[in-house]
Amino acid sequence: MVKYLDFLTVFFSEIFDRILQNDLLVKLIILANLGGTLFGFYWYQDLLQSTPVYLWPLVPDSPLSTLIISISLVLYLRGRPNRFIDALAFFGNLKYGLWTVFVEVYMFESFLTVNSVPMYIFIVVSHLIMFFQ
Protein backbone atom coordinates (compact mmCIF):
# COMPACT_ATOMS: atom_id res chain seq x y z
CA MET A 1 0.00 0.00 0.00
CA VAL A 2 2.82 2.44 0.87
CA LYS A 3 4.52 1.80 -2.48
CA TYR A 4 1.23 2.54 -4.26
CA LEU A 5 0.86 5.83 -2.38
CA ASP A 6 4.48 6.72 -3.14
CA PHE A 7 3.82 6.06 -6.83
CA LEU A 8 0.71 8.28 -6.79
CA THR A 9 2.59 11.06 -5.01
CA VAL A 10 5.39 11.02 -7.57
CA PHE A 11 2.97 10.69 -10.49
CA PHE A 12 0.80 13.66 -9.50
CA SER A 13 3.80 15.72 -8.44
CA GLU A 14 5.32 15.30 -11.91
CA ILE A 15 2.05 16.27 -13.59
CA PHE A 16 1.71 19.32 -11.34
CA ASP A 17 5.30 20.38 -12.05
CA ARG A 18 4.78 20.07 -15.82
CA ILE A 19 1.59 22.15 -15.67
CA LEU A 20 3.31 24.87 -13.65
CA GLN A 21 6.16 25.03 -16.18
CA ASN A 22 3.70 26.07 -18.90
CA ASP A 23 2.70 29.69 -18.20
CA LEU A 24 0.05 29.66 -20.94
CA LEU A 25 -1.63 26.60 -19.43
CA VAL A 26 -1.53 28.16 -15.96
CA LYS A 27 -3.13 31.33 -17.35
CA LEU A 28 -5.86 29.25 -19.03
CA ILE A 29 -6.52 27.46 -15.73
CA ILE A 30 -6.76 30.85 -14.00
CA LEU A 31 -9.24 32.11 -16.62
CA ALA A 32 -11.32 28.93 -16.36
CA ASN A 33 -11.45 29.26 -12.58
CA LEU A 34 -12.38 32.94 -12.79
CA GLY A 35 -15.16 32.00 -15.21
CA GLY A 36 -16.35 29.40 -12.72
CA THR A 37 -16.17 32.00 -9.96
CA LEU A 38 -18.36 34.43 -11.91
CA PHE A 39 -20.84 31.70 -12.80
CA GLY A 40 -20.89 30.56 -9.17
CA PHE A 41 -21.70 34.03 -7.89
CA TYR A 42 -24.46 34.24 -10.49
CA TRP A 43 -25.72 30.84 -9.30
CA TYR A 44 -25.79 32.05 -5.67
CA GLN A 45 -27.26 35.51 -6.37
CA ASP A 46 -30.71 34.75 -4.93
CA LEU A 47 -29.22 33.21 -1.82
CA LEU A 48 -26.83 36.14 -1.38
CA GLN A 49 -29.70 38.63 -1.68
CA SER A 50 -31.57 36.88 1.12
CA THR A 51 -28.50 36.59 3.39
CA PRO A 52 -27.13 39.34 5.66
CA VAL A 53 -24.01 40.90 4.12
CA TYR A 54 -21.79 39.87 7.04
CA LEU A 55 -22.54 36.21 6.24
CA TRP A 56 -21.77 36.47 2.51
CA PRO A 57 -18.27 34.95 2.85
CA LEU A 58 -19.93 31.72 4.07
CA VAL A 59 -22.45 31.37 1.23
CA PRO A 60 -20.70 30.89 -2.15
CA ASP A 61 -18.37 28.06 -1.12
CA SER A 62 -17.37 26.72 -4.54
CA PRO A 63 -16.95 30.13 -6.21
CA LEU A 64 -14.73 31.28 -3.37
CA SER A 65 -12.62 28.15 -3.74
CA THR A 66 -12.11 28.76 -7.47
CA LEU A 67 -11.30 32.41 -6.77
CA ILE A 68 -8.71 31.41 -4.17
CA ILE A 69 -7.01 28.94 -6.51
CA SER A 70 -6.89 31.69 -9.14
CA ILE A 71 -5.20 33.97 -6.62
CA SER A 72 -2.79 31.17 -5.70
CA LEU A 73 -1.80 30.64 -9.33
CA VAL A 74 -1.43 34.38 -10.02
CA LEU A 75 0.88 34.64 -7.01
CA TYR A 76 2.86 31.67 -8.35
CA LEU A 77 3.22 33.31 -11.77
CA ARG A 78 4.47 36.50 -10.13
CA GLY A 79 7.07 34.56 -8.16
CA ARG A 80 5.37 35.26 -4.83
CA PRO A 81 3.70 31.99 -3.79
CA ASN A 82 1.85 31.99 -0.50
CA ARG A 83 1.52 28.67 1.36
CA PHE A 84 -1.57 29.81 3.28
CA ILE A 85 -3.42 30.75 0.07
CA ASP A 86 -2.20 27.51 -1.52
CA ALA A 87 -3.59 25.50 1.40
CA LEU A 88 -6.95 27.31 1.27
CA ALA A 89 -7.12 26.67 -2.47
CA PHE A 90 -6.18 23.01 -2.11
CA PHE A 91 -8.60 22.15 0.68
CA GLY A 92 -11.43 24.33 -0.64
CA ASN A 93 -11.34 22.77 -4.10
CA LEU A 94 -10.87 19.29 -2.69
CA LYS A 95 -13.77 19.66 -0.26
CA TYR A 96 -16.32 21.50 -2.38
CA GLY A 97 -15.41 19.66 -5.55
CA LEU A 98 -15.95 16.24 -4.00
CA TRP A 99 -18.85 17.26 -1.76
CA THR A 100 -20.82 18.80 -4.62
CA VAL A 101 -20.28 15.80 -6.88
CA PHE A 102 -21.44 13.48 -4.10
CA VAL A 103 -24.56 15.55 -3.37
CA GLU A 104 -25.45 15.97 -7.05
CA VAL A 105 -25.09 12.26 -7.77
CA TYR A 106 -26.89 11.22 -4.59
CA MET A 107 -29.77 13.66 -5.08
CA PHE A 108 -29.88 13.84 -8.87
CA GLU A 109 -33.69 13.47 -9.04
CA SER A 110 -34.18 16.55 -6.85
CA PHE A 111 -31.68 18.58 -8.85
CA LEU A 112 -33.28 17.61 -12.16
CA THR A 113 -36.70 18.81 -11.01
CA VAL A 114 -35.45 22.42 -11.06
CA ASN A 115 -32.57 22.27 -13.59
CA SER A 116 -31.85 20.84 -17.01
CA VAL A 117 -29.76 17.77 -17.79
CA PRO A 118 -27.00 19.87 -19.41
CA MET A 119 -26.81 22.04 -16.27
CA TYR A 120 -26.63 18.90 -14.12
CA ILE A 121 -23.78 17.52 -16.23
CA PHE A 122 -21.99 20.88 -16.16
CA ILE A 123 -22.23 21.13 -12.36
CA VAL A 124 -21.00 17.56 -11.81
CA VAL A 125 -18.13 17.77 -14.32
CA SER A 126 -16.97 21.24 -13.24
CA HIS A 127 -16.92 20.25 -9.58
CA LEU A 128 -15.13 17.01 -10.38
CA ILE A 129 -12.47 19.13 -12.11
CA MET A 130 -12.32 21.31 -8.97
CA PHE A 131 -11.64 18.19 -6.94
CA PHE A 132 -8.79 17.08 -9.23
CA GLN A 133 -7.15 20.46 -9.49
Side-chain angles (χ1 to χ4, degrees):
M1 181 70 166
V2 172
K3 288 183 181 184
Y4 179 72
L5 292 175
D6 288 342
F7 167 77
L8 287 177
T9 302
V10 170
F11 177 75
F12 285 111
S13 177
E14 287 179 14
I15 290 174
F16 185 67
D17 288 342
R18 287 186 185 173
I19 289 170
L20 289 178
Q21 291 172 1
N22 186 334
D23 285 356
L24 178 60
L25 184 57
V26 172
K27 289 174 183 175
L28 289 173
I29 292 169
I30 291 168
L31 287 175
N33 277 286
L34 290 175
T37 299
L38 291 175
F39 179 80
F41 280 110
Y42 168 77
W43 181 267
Y44 281 102
Q45 71 183 351
D46 293 335
L47 188 55
L48 286 169
Q49 289 174 354
S50 64
T51 303
V53 174
Y54 65 90
L55 292 176
W56 280 10
L58 304 175
V59 174
D61 44 25
S62 293
L64 285 176
S65 294
T66 56
L67 178 62
I68 293 169
I69 200 164
S70 296
I71 292 168
S72 172
L73 291 171
V74 166
L75 290 172
Y76 172 80
L77 286 176
R78 292 188 174 183
R80 302 186 67 175
N82 181 303
R83 294 287 192 195
F84 180 72
I85 298 293
D86 295 347
L88 285 176
F90 174 79
F91 288 109
N93 280 275
L94 186 71
K95 177 184 177 188
Y96 294 115
L98 191 59
W99 177 84
T100 302
V101 169
F102 172 77
V103 170
E104 293 298 327
V105 170
Y106 183 73
M107 301 188 67
F108 75 97
E109 290 175 353
S110 297
F111 187 83
L112 290 176
T113 61
V114 294
N115 292 288
S116 66
V117 171
M119 179 58 72
Y120 175 79
I121 293 168
F122 171 74
I123 295 293
V124 170
V125 170
S126 64
H127 284 81
L128 194 58
I129 292 169
M130 277 179 66
F131 168 73
F132 282 111
Q133 78 178 352

